[in-house]
Amino acid sequence: MKKAVVITGASSGIGAATAIQFGRNGYFVYLMGRNKDRLAEVAVQCRAGASLMSCDLTDVPALNKRIGEITSTTIHKVEVLVNNAGIFDVHSTEEGSDELWQKEFEVNLMSAVRLTRAFFPYFKQHGGGSIINVSSSLGLKPTAATSAYSAMKAAMINMTQSNSLEGGAFNIRVNCVAPGIVDTPIHSFHALEESKRQEAIATMNPMQPLGRIGTAEEIAKAIYFLGSPESSWTTGATLAIDGGITNA
């Protein structure tokens, strides 16, 4: 069977860059996301082939159907799961409604919980696998007005550590990346007119000890490393890829 990877939030940003990175290295890519047109644009850049698995990850029956389609195939063997899907809201404590917290919970945490739960028995059956959770530097060092997002990303880091202890006996490795400020559509500045976008980036660059914000491709390379046999003795780790901002 041909080796494969499942990537959520694959239609843009870090997810899209990760799909392309795995494709370059011979992985068939299962692209999960809500926007089928954007997934199709990513698919043509995946050199080893890709399948569009359009799905709202908060729709549990739809998600379970897609998982079943992936795990039942006899053509591809999934070796890697990348839990990347996420949303980002900035809000004050008073503005943090139950609805906002619930949405962050469902997208940023429970989608990863459900996929991890589904693929654990699959990986056990197939002799192992690698799971990479995409957290955030805010899960390590939160800032004001990001309480819901930071809480979910901190929970993801903790979940990674617990899952890695459980998976070790079955050769299931579970690791986490914690990106800092990256130029992707999850941030509102990304959609600004180009000159204003560059102005916004210029104000953020000095926040990092390395003097600039990151790129999706830089995060994708780290995710690939943790997913591939190149990191065969690494599990339970959280890799901060943030230009040093967590320590600033």
Side-chain angles (χ1 to χ4, degrees):
M1 290 191 291
K2 187 175 182 179
K3 63 184 180 181
V5 56
V6 177
I7 303 173
T8 68
S11 63
S12 64
I14 291 171
T18 300
I20 295 167
Q21 182 69 29
F22 273 93
R24 287 172 180 161
N25 287 277
Y27 286 79
F28 183 88
V29 186
Y30 287 101
L31 302 163
M32 300 192 77
R34 290 176 296 177
N35 192 313
K36 190 172 183 179
D37 291 338
R38 289 211 304 262
L39 290 177
E41 293 174 1
V42 176
V44 298
Q45 301 176 73
C46 296
R47 293 181 184 173
S51 179
L52 277 58
M53 311 299 288
S54 57
C55 175
D56 182 344
L57 297 180
T58 66
D59 183 339
V60 177
L63 175 60
N64 287 338
K65 180 181 178 182
R66 288 304 197 189
I67 291 171
E69 292 169 357
I70 295 170
T71 56
S72 63
T73 182
T74 57
I75 301 174
H76 303 115
K77 176 187 174 185
V78 176
E79 297 184 357
V80 184
L81 167 65
V82 181
N83 289 312
N84 167 71
I87 56 173
F88 178 64
D89 288 304
V90 177
H91 57 87
S92 67
T93 299
E94 294 91 335
E95 293 170 335
S97 65
D98 286 1
E99 290 78 12
L100 185 148
W101 275 82
Q102 188 63 36
K103 186 177 181 181
E104 291 266 2
F105 176 68
E106 285 293 330
V107 177
N108 291 341
L109 185 61
M110 283 307 299
S111 64
V113 169
R114 291 175 180 128
L115 280 152
T116 298
R117 184 172 60 207
F119 274 93
F120 245 67
Y122 177 91
F123 286 147
K124 287 180 182 180
Q125 180 183 354
H126 289 83
S130 180
I131 301 172
I132 304 94
N133 295 317
V134 180
S135 180
S136 168
S137 60
L138 292 174
L140 297 167
K141 184 180 180 182
T143 61
T146 65
S147 56
Y149 182 82
S150 297
M152 302 310 155
K153 292 303 187 179
M156 179 173 273
I157 292 171
N158 196 287
M159 180 181 76
T160 297
Q161 295 167 346
S162 179
N163 290 163
S164 72
L165 296 174
E166 185 176 344
F170 305 98
N171 194 33
I172 301 172
R173 299 187 299 109
V174 190
N175 292 289
C176 191
V177 295
I181 305 173
V182 180
D183 187 8
T184 70
I186 199 171
H187 296 293
S188 58
F189 70 82
H190 185 82
L192 295 174
E193 184 272 328
E194 183 59 21
S195 63
K196 293 187 180 299
R197 188 176 75 87
Q198 291 300 329
E199 289 177 10
I201 290 173
T203 65
M204 291 182 285
N205 282 337
M207 297 167 62
Q208 285 73 215
L210 287 180
R212 64 174 178 85
I213 67 172
T215 68
E217 290 72 22
E218 288 171 315
I219 311 303
K221 290 176 182 177
I223 293 172
Y224 175 75
F225 166 74
L226 290 173
S228 75
E230 294 179 15
S231 61
S232 57
W233 205 47
T234 303
T235 195
T238 297
L239 178 57
I241 316 165
D242 60 3
I245 196 170
T246 302
N247 297 315

